[in-house]
Amino acid sequence: MIWAVTEFKSMNLGDPRRKQRAIHLIESLSAKPTASIPQACGDWADTIGAYRFFGNEAVQWEAILAPHIENSVARMAAHEHVLCIQDTTELNFNGQEAKGLGPLSYEAQRGMYLHPTYAISTSREPLGVLDAWMWARQPLQSDGSRPGVSESLRWIEGYERLAEMAPQLPNTRLVYVADREADIMALMVRARDLGEPVDWLLRSKHNRVLGEDDKMWSRVTAGESQGEIRFTLASRQGSRPREVVQQVWAQALKLPDGHGGFVQATCIVAREEALANGEKPIEWRLLTNLPVETLEQAARMIDWYRARWEIEMFFHVLKNGCRIEALQLGSVSKIERAVVLYMVVAWRIARLMRLGRSCPHLDAQLMFEPDEWKAAYILNKQELPKEPPTLNEVVRLIARLGGFLARKRDGEPGVKTIWLGMQRILDFAAGIRFCRELQVQGACV
């Protein structure tokens, strides 16, 4: 897998052998993301090497992720705007005896939390993982309080890391995107005090008081709307795709910062009228530092917020495709090293899906080795093309091996069929290479 060597080329773990092990691991985990570590490694020696790597206290997970971040920044430089999405997900290891685990949403559950920053282009192309918070909660004390650092700091520190990264990208504007949990005045104040080197777009959780009998959401929607927007809401579990029509309001406001000052922000409200079929209408209330003076600008902010769904897809691949909650590694520090590698695997699977949709005519050899794309044709019992195929052609063939039917009404394949198909492709490609080596040695096949 040339991509793994390229992605981790600049890795420095203090010993070349550790780097070699990390790259070998990422190749094994990419080839079989749904498999256990022993199944992915294939033999006893590699399995022991993997467990030793994850248990090596001299290896910091930040150092493992560093070369991927470096390459992510290089990919980001090709775009005018990059959406940097932050969110938190629970990793449930209930029933395991790993050291350092803590309670989750329910105090009796055991696990840890993952809070990455996931960069995508405005056309939804996954560009990489830029940062991560990983932690386990302390148990509640008898008075109901929880010891440790306030978890809300992860949102503020996430912004600060992006602010540190911004000077590396003078021609790219970063946009911090987050859901309601990030609607924290301290975050907006920190962005203001730093001079807002990174723009921000948050879903509003708090209907802030602006004056006596004057609240934010009602003030914004008091007048005529700027107009309406239309988009297709993608299918979700239990619901089909449908067209959404929303009325849009936007207004610049001065939000009190609680210390006698204010934060300049724009509040956007996008509201769907009541639906005849009884479905719950969609209403979004957003806050941003960016000016929104026209319907076109408001629609852009709403489209950028809708892109937040990409991190949910990333979590889906990570937890259901890579099955990281099935890891049995004995301690939180070992789990962290494994999660970092799996995050890069999940990013690549999501990237293949998106590029196959948004850039269908790309040369497949930009993402696949010749043995890999040829395997997609052979396993589908199709004749090899005389010229290298397009990325979309190969991705669809791979997805068919994972259960995608490829009928006209089926649209483009999703991540699940791609990750299942990739396992068959990579196994077959490995077999092709092994046969080639045997032929060179003069052995019979």
Side-chain angles (χ1 to χ4, degrees):
M1 290 187 186
I2 297 173
W3 79 268
V5 176
T6 302
E7 194 71 16
F8 290 95
K9 183 178 181 181
S10 64
M11 179 184 286
N12 182 6
L13 300 180
D15 187 323
R17 291 171 297 180
R18 294 175 189 159
K19 175 181 177 179
Q20 184 178 4
R21 172 60 63 185
I23 293 175
H24 185 64
L25 259 174
I26 197 79
E27 290 174 342
S28 298
L29 299 178
S30 294
K32 297 182 178 180
T34 63
S36 66
I37 290 173
Q39 289 172 330
C41 290
D43 61 43
W44 182 242
D46 277 351
T47 300
I48 291 297
Y51 284 120
R52 285 176 177 167
F53 179 84
F54 292 136
N56 192 334
E57 296 298 330
V59 176
Q60 301 298 313
W61 70 259
E62 293 89 347
I64 299 173
L65 189 60
H68 172 69
I69 295 174
E70 181 182 320
N71 281 294
S72 299
V73 171
R75 287 185 284 268
M76 291 160 67
H79 300 271
E80 183 179 354
H81 290 91
V82 170
L83 308 181
C84 304
I85 310 169
Q86 294 207 4
D87 202 2
T88 306
T89 191
E90 290 184 344
L91 302 182
N92 190 335
F93 295 106
N94 218 25
Q96 296 194 29
E97 299 300 325
K99 294 179 181 178
L101 296 177
L104 298 175
S105 299
Y106 297 99
E107 203 67 16
Q109 289 178 309
R110 310 301 293 172
M112 57 185 287
Y113 287 86
L114 170 65
H115 181 92
T117 301
Y118 187 57
I120 67 169
S121 71
T122 54
S123 62
R124 313 296 198 269
E125 175 190 343
L127 303 173
V129 179
L130 304 180
D131 189 21
W133 258 52
M134 289 186 275
W135 77 98
R137 283 177 171 168
Q138 297 293 319
L140 285 174
Q141 296 183 328
S142 58
D143 62 358
S145 64
R146 194 181 301 278
V149 177
S150 172
E151 293 180 3
S152 64
L153 285 176
R154 69 191 186 275
W155 301 101
I156 300 169
E157 286 200 4
Y159 183 91
E160 290 173 339
R161 299 294 81 77
L162 292 174
E164 293 169 1
M165 191 177 291
Q168 302 175 50
L169 296 159
N171 299 316
T172 301
R173 190 67 184 176
L174 306 184
V175 184
Y176 175 108
V177 181
D179 213 352
R180 283 175 282 209
E181 197 175 351
D183 182 7
I184 305 168
M185 181 51 65
L187 168 61
M188 301 179 216
V189 168
R190 185 59 177 149
R192 178 199 65 190
D193 293 347
L194 289 173
E196 293 182 329
V198 174
D199 295 321
W200 47 270
L201 175 64
L202 315 173
R203 188 167 181 183
S204 176
K205 178 181 181 180
H206 305 292
N207 191 10
R208 290 182 164 82
V209 176
L210 304 178
E212 188 175 350
D213 298 324
D214 185 15
K215 288 193 173 182
M216 183 171 67
W217 299 338
S218 57
R219 181 193 287 191
V220 173
T221 57
E224 291 290 325
S225 72
Q226 291 184 337
E228 68 177 29
I229 61 169
R230 294 173 179 264
F231 59 86
T232 300
L233 185 69
S235 61
R236 299 286 190 269
Q237 189 171 6
S239 64
R240 294 183 177 182
R242 68 177 180 86
E243 184 182 47
V244 174
V245 181
Q246 291 178 317
Q247 296 295 318
V248 178
W249 294 261
Q251 187 174 338
L253 302 168
K254 291 182 177 180
L255 305 182
D257 65 4
H259 300 283
F262 66 88
V263 169
Q264 185 70 50
T266 302
C267 180
I268 304 164
V269 177
R271 178 183 296 162
E272 188 177 27
E273 298 300 326
L275 300 174
N277 60 7
E279 283 190 66
K280 185 178 179 180
I282 295 172
E283 181 170 350
W284 291 322
R285 307 177 185 102
L286 309 177
L287 286 171
T288 179
N289 69 305
L290 292 164
V292 179
E293 298 172 352
T294 66
L295 180 62
E296 182 181 7
Q297 290 173 329
R300 187 187 205 190
M301 293 299 103
I302 293 165
D303 184 61
W304 286 1
Y305 174 74
R306 288 176 56 219
R308 201 200 66 81
W309 180 252
E310 295 301 314
I311 199 168
E312 302 292 349
M313 184 184 298
F314 173 74
F315 288 151
H316 174 66
V317 177
L318 192 62
K319 295 168 78 170
N320 298 303
C322 300
R323 300 180 64 235
I324 60 172
E325 291 173 312
L327 291 172
Q328 298 187 34
L329 291 173
S331 72
V332 166
S333 60
K334 294 177 183 179
I335 293 170
E336 287 174 341
R337 296 183 190 100
V339 166
V340 166
L341 290 180
Y342 276 113
M343 281 199 294
V344 180
V345 172
W347 157 77
R348 186 170 185 263
I349 292 171
R351 182 172 171 80
L352 284 175
M353 184 201 72
R354 279 297 174 196
L355 287 179
R357 293 182 180 184
S358 60
C359 304
H361 301 297
L362 279 178
D363 187 338
Q365 294 187 123
L366 294 173
M367 301 294 292
F368 296 101
E369 296 176 38
D371 287 340
E372 293 169 352
W373 67 255
K374 289 177 183 177
Y377 279 87
I378 294 169
L379 289 173
N380 277 285
K381 300 179 181 179
Q382 292 194 16
E383 185 178 348
L384 291 177
K386 295 180 181 178
E387 300 293 333
T390 67
L391 179 62
N392 183 259
E393 290 169 344
V394 173
V395 167
R396 289 177 69 87
L397 287 174
I398 291 171
R400 288 176 64 175
L401 297 172
F404 177 62
L405 297 179
R407 297 168 299 188
K408 287 185 178 180
R409 65 178 182 274
D410 289 333
E412 294 299 327
V415 288
K416 183 176 182 179
T417 55
I418 292 173
W419 82 57
L420 291 173
M422 280 296 297
Q423 295 178 69
R424 295 188 62 189
I425 290 298
L426 294 173
D427 281 343
F428 195 85
I432 292 175
R433 287 190 289 271
F434 184 62
C435 287
R436 190 181 297 121
E437 291 170 5
L438 290 177
Q439 288 176 336
V440 170
Q441 296 168 11
C444 296
V445 180

